[in-house]
Amino acid sequence: MDKDGIAMALIVQKYGGTSMGSIERIEHVARKVASWKQQGHALVVVVSAMSGETDRLLKLAKSIDPRGNGREFDQIAATGEQVTIGLLALALQKLGVPSRSYTGWQVPIHTDDAYMKARIQKIEPERLLADCKAGIVPVVAGFQGLGPDGSVTTLGRGGSDTTGVALAAALKADECQIYTDVDGVYTTDPRVEPKARRLDKITFEEMLELASLGSKVLQIRSVEFAGKYKVPLRVLSTFVEGPGTLITLEDTQMEEPLISGIAFNRDEAQITITGVPDRPGIAAAILGPVGDANIEVDMIVQNVGGDGHTDFTFTVHRNDYERTLELTRRIAAELAAKGVSGAADIVKVSLVGVGMRSHAGVASKMFKSLAAAGINIRMISTSEIKISVVVDEMYLELAVRTLHKAFGLEERQAA
Ligand code: ADP
Ligand code: ASP
Ligand code: MG
């Protein structure tokens, strides 16, 4: 951006729920924004609701309609961010920084009509750019948009990250900074492994895997968006100064670490149908009705038995567990299978690293380390840059720490 002949950077900063968690914290964020502005940068700020607020709002909605997830849920959930944009704009004004708050529909940020998981389709950046040119700092509500029929929509939990990145793309910003309560992306969640180490850099591809496999530090869609539109993305702390973690396009000069990080997902549940007559079409007969019921299946394993029967195991989101179990019992009866069992107390633990492409032996080292720690593996799935295992939930911390140590993640310098 060029103003009065002085080249300035246009930066989108997103502040998460913890950073917005109290009036003191909002005033702290206002001081940070003011200092960036003083350095001559143009800023567009995106904020989340106060921490815990979206949970509280959704709980209220569920207390009336436990199964609903349509238009009114979004109407309710979106109010959390409407409060914090106003508060931050006030705090900035108090510091003498001209600021104006915008809801998603005032920008507007257009989305499709998939309530609770809407996708951004188009952003009209003109108002925000005009503010920047006039020296005003726009504060935009994360997580929300305007549906095709004029309804309020929300982008899925953690969706303010995606608002930040999408705005940075639409505004052709020089950088998108995601400010949170950790000072970057770590080798694993520091809440589970205190020895986790901050990464200076990570590739989009690895970050996307980590996010998809359960690392909630960035919403999956924000990483997809940043990769697609090549938005320079950095994760930093609101509370401590530091360089944070840069999410980069793949850099061939970078020495590729074997493993970059460990992700885990507590949201899984496992269903097994035993003694299914082994004939063509069995997988479709089981998973067809599950898919028709809008239940997303994650991992699938089928064992071929010697007696003409097979066992079929798959995982679904824990929220869908009861529903899937019920449905699977009906399918099992139709197929004359022997039985159905399930477990909702399981987790998925995954190793991610682009270095896996060129190195064999990662899987066997993973399995050996888990075995030595006495952890039984229930399921395994692999792809080019990740290996996932399903284990009992009680082993989550032990599995993460065992693997973190086995792959030397605590010592190695960031690539
Ligand atoms: P915000 O409210 O700022 O969006 P989130 O709670 O969504 O913050 O994301 C930050 C949290 O993500 C951290 O507090 C941390 O516990 C968790 N996290 C999970 N995996 C990682 C990881 N690999 N690196 C850093 N933080 C992680
Ligand atoms: N407030 C929303 C949530 O809790 C969006 C966000 O914080 O990113 O999911
Ligand atoms: Mg978040």
Side-chain angles (χ1 to χ4, degrees):
M1 165 176 245
D2 196 81
K3 191 178 168 254
D4 300 334
I6 306 164
M8 307 193 305
L10 172 58
I11 298 169
V12 173
Q13 297 187 332
K14 177 258 168 176
Y15 291 91
T18 317
S19 314
M20 290 282 117
S22 65
I23 295 299
E24 291 70 34
R25 287 184 176 180
I26 290 174
E27 292 194 314
H28 169 75
V29 167
R31 287 193 291 277
K32 275 183 88 88
V33 174
S35 112
W36 279 86
K37 177 102 194 333
Q38 252 164 17
Q39 290 166 37
H41 301 298
L43 293 151
V44 173
V45 181
V46 173
V47 299
S48 292
M50 288 177 147
S51 54
E53 179 63 5
T54 311
D55 286 340
R56 189 186 73 85
L57 293 165
L58 288 172
K59 208 169 141 200
L60 285 176
K62 279 189 190 138
S63 69
I64 295 179
D65 180 1
R67 287 207 129 171
N69 57 6
R71 181 179 186 277
E72 306 315 327
F73 268 57
D74 285 29
Q75 187 81 287
I76 295 161
T79 59
E81 273 75 6
Q82 191 163 340
V83 174
T84 44
I85 49 170
L87 290 173
L88 182 58
L90 283 178
L92 283 165
Q93 290 165 14
K94 193 165 139 188
L95 295 176
V97 178
S99 177
R100 192 179 286 164
S101 66
Y102 292 90
T103 59
W105 50 97
Q106 286 170 337
V107 173
I109 296 172
H110 298 278
T111 72
D112 62 17
D113 61 359
Y115 295 114
M116 310 272 290
K117 51 177 182 206
R119 281 186 180 267
I120 295 177
Q121 291 185 323
K122 188 175 160 235
I123 295 179
E124 296 180 44
E126 291 75 19
R127 278 186 178 183
L128 305 181
L129 284 172
D131 278 355
C132 289
K133 284 199 181 112
I136 298 167
V137 175
V139 180
V140 181
F143 181 53
Q144 52 177 248
L146 176 66
D149 69 350
S151 299
V152 175
T153 55
T154 63
L155 309 179
R157 300 308 305 270
S160 300
D161 296 334
T162 302
T163 307
V165 174
L167 274 178
L171 295 164
K172 300 191 176 56
D174 295 281
E175 186 164 289
C176 179
Q177 302 174 341
I178 306 282
Y179 285 94
T180 182
D181 56 2
V182 268
D183 64 343
V185 177
Y186 276 62
T187 45
T188 192
D189 189 340
R191 286 186 211 203
V192 166
E193 171 52 286
K195 290 186 188 141
R197 192 172 41 78
R198 184 181 58 80
L199 299 163
D200 284 333
K201 286 181 184 178
I202 186 167
T203 65
F204 279 110
E205 199 185 6
E206 288 170 311
M207 193 62 237
L208 192 59
E209 281 289 355
L210 285 175
S212 311
L213 295 166
S215 294
K216 292 185 177 140
V217 60
L218 285 175
Q219 200 203 29
I220 304 169
R221 280 188 191 165
S222 71
V223 187
E224 279 170 1
F225 227 101
K228 189 166 166 197
Y229 295 98
K230 303 200 168 30
V231 177
L233 185 61
R234 198 180 281 277
V235 176
L236 309 119
S237 164
T238 304
F239 308 104
V240 287
E241 294 294 320
T245 300
L246 184 66
I247 325 290
T248 61
L249 288 167
E250 198 143 2
D251 178 353
T252 45
Q253 288 180 334
M254 217 162 85
E255 199 203 322
E256 289 180 349
L258 189 55
I259 303 299
S260 294
I262 303 172
F264 53 82
N265 189 351
R266 299 178 208 262
D267 298 334
E268 304 245 342
Q270 177 183 324
I271 311 269
T272 300
I273 312 190
T274 50
V276 189
D278 192 15
R279 55 176 163 76
I282 280 300
I286 298 168
L287 297 178
V290 174
D292 292 344
N294 251 330
I295 298 167
E296 213 171 299
V297 171
D298 181 17
M299 290 163 88
I300 305 167
V301 172
Q302 185 178 1
N303 300 319
V304 182
D307 60 347
H309 286 81
T310 174
D311 292 344
F312 196 93
T313 302
F314 59 98
T315 62
V316 295
H317 194 285
R318 213 177 273 187
N319 290 344
D320 291 324
Y321 176 60
E322 298 293 342
R323 207 153 64 91
T324 315
L325 201 55
E326 221 173 273
L327 182 63
T328 312
R329 286 205 178 104
R330 279 206 303 263
I331 300 168
E334 280 163 27
L335 296 175
K338 281 190 191 126
V340 174
S341 61
D345 53 352
I346 56 140
V347 291
K348 182 167 75 174
V349 178
S350 310
L351 290 180
V352 172
V354 284
M356 266 187 227
R357 279 199 187 112
S358 45
H359 288 81
V362 176
S364 67
K365 184 170 178 180
M366 180 183 197
F367 306 151
K368 272 186 204 149
S369 313
L370 292 173
I375 301 170
N376 185 40
I377 300 173
R378 285 167 163 264
M379 292 173 89
I380 300 167
S381 103
T382 64
S383 75
E384 225 188 353
I385 65 162
K386 72 120 206 279
I387 304 173
S388 300
V389 294
V390 170
V391 300
D392 289 347
E393 186 167 23
M394 65 180 190
Y395 292 125
L396 171 67
E397 280 82 7
L398 182 61
V400 169
R401 290 177 198 158
T402 300
L403 295 173
H404 201 264
K405 190 159 195 305
F407 285 91
L409 291 180
E410 46 205 72
E411 301 106 41
R412 196 166 22 78
Q413 289 303 300

